[in-house]
Amino acid sequence: MTRAIIPLLLSLMIVACGSETVAEPGSEAAAAEAETPEWRIVIHGGAGVILRENLSDEQEADYRAALEVALDAGAEVLKEGGTSVDAVQAAVLTMEDNTLFNAGKGAVLTAAREHELDASIMDGRDRNAGSVAGVKHVKNPILAARAVMDHSEHVMFAAQGADDFAESVGLETVENSYFTTERRVKALDRVLETRSRTDADRHGTVGAVAIDKDGNLAAATTTGGMTAKAPGRVGDSPLIGAATYAQNGVCAVSATGHGEYFIRVGVAKTICTRVELAGDSIGAAAENALDQVADLGGDGGVIVMGGEGQYDYVFNSKGMYRGMMDSTGAVETAIFEKKD
Ligand code: GLY
């Protein structure tokens, strides 16, 4: 059944930029201005201190192009009538294969100079979910998470058992060094030498949320975690309810940020519970959860989609790689704090 997305009140989420007042891309107000789409996908490529002055024009163009590749991959599924769970998987798969992002190839290294990757996926139709934590060999952790959901009676596998499971269902495996890039080796060496992490060392997780033509929500999140993390450390990305959640008619969330704080707040489930039980708008619910993260000392952001496909980007960091594409032909990418 083709589903219509209900227009929202324009009075919400109007962001003042100096003397100019604009609807923030992704705000409910911006969504309300758009033509009603049949399907929509929203992605993030990590939050953090991302300042215009620190990004060359070429780097900015590269990130925007990579975001569009991910959006296109998800949109391709949705426009053919595919499911939102296939769409979020397709979108984040491209980011796992792109070394710009901290997921799959190009992921950060642990203090033991290895990659331990985390991923999760959730289907809003029945709240089925799958995740893997600390995998070292499956080439695309999001496919392993999906396989756990589709081909096991469990929700989560960790470490060697997760890699073994991925191999047993026929997923491609690689040497751990496949994921390594010079940029991440330099970052690891710096963190080990200085014994401190910059903001960028703690960020870069990617994710997607989507709604399909039948109104089904889905969410996916995948990451290399934190530079120089202790071997065995697991962040929020593979934890259903912390970084990832999807429930039809309520909301879908994918989070990026300092994982320990997102786990402690249970960010993704908190947002969906506030929408469902407190009647919050998706933006208000996300702000509430991120305020709790900030109160504990953490930072990061979320992409959130409501039961009718309305969406928002909410972050308390200085930027977040993000974008949206839908059936009306609307495409947006953004990186910095304000409308850009
Ligand atoms: N948010 C990713 C991590 O903390 O591992």
Side-chain angles (χ1 to χ4, degrees), residues 4 17 51 116 121 128 167 175 232 257 287 332-333 336 338:
C17 291
L51 303 173
E116 295 183 1
I121 192 163
N128 201 0
E167 198 171 357
E175 290 297 316
E287 278 177 19
E332 65 189 24
T333 59
F336 309 109
K338 295 261 165 68

Side-chain angles (χ1 to χ4, degrees), residues 113 184-195 227:
R113 310 192 87 81
R184 301 302 190 188
V185 172
K186 281 189 181 149
L188 176 65
D189 288 341
R190 175 179 38 73
V191 172
L192 292 178
E193 193 180 316
T194 61
R195 306 229 153 258
T227 304

Side-chain angles (χ1 to χ4, degrees), residues 52 87 145 200 211 249 276-277:
R52 193 181 287 278
I211 189 164
E276 184 180 22
L277 301 182

Side-chain angles (χ1 to χ4, degrees), residues 93 96-97 104 137-145 171-172 178-179:
L93 196 63
E96 284 187 343
D97 289 341
H137 296 292
V138 61
K139 184 176 173 226
N140 287 105
I142 196 64
L143 297 183
L171 293 180
E172 186 176 353
Y178 160 82
F179 301 108

Side-chain angles (χ1 to χ4, degrees), residues 168-182:
S168 76
V169 296
L171 293 180
E172 186 176 353
T173 57
V174 291
E175 290 297 316
N176 194 252
S177 58
Y178 160 82
F179 301 108
T180 307
T181 54
E182 194 184 330

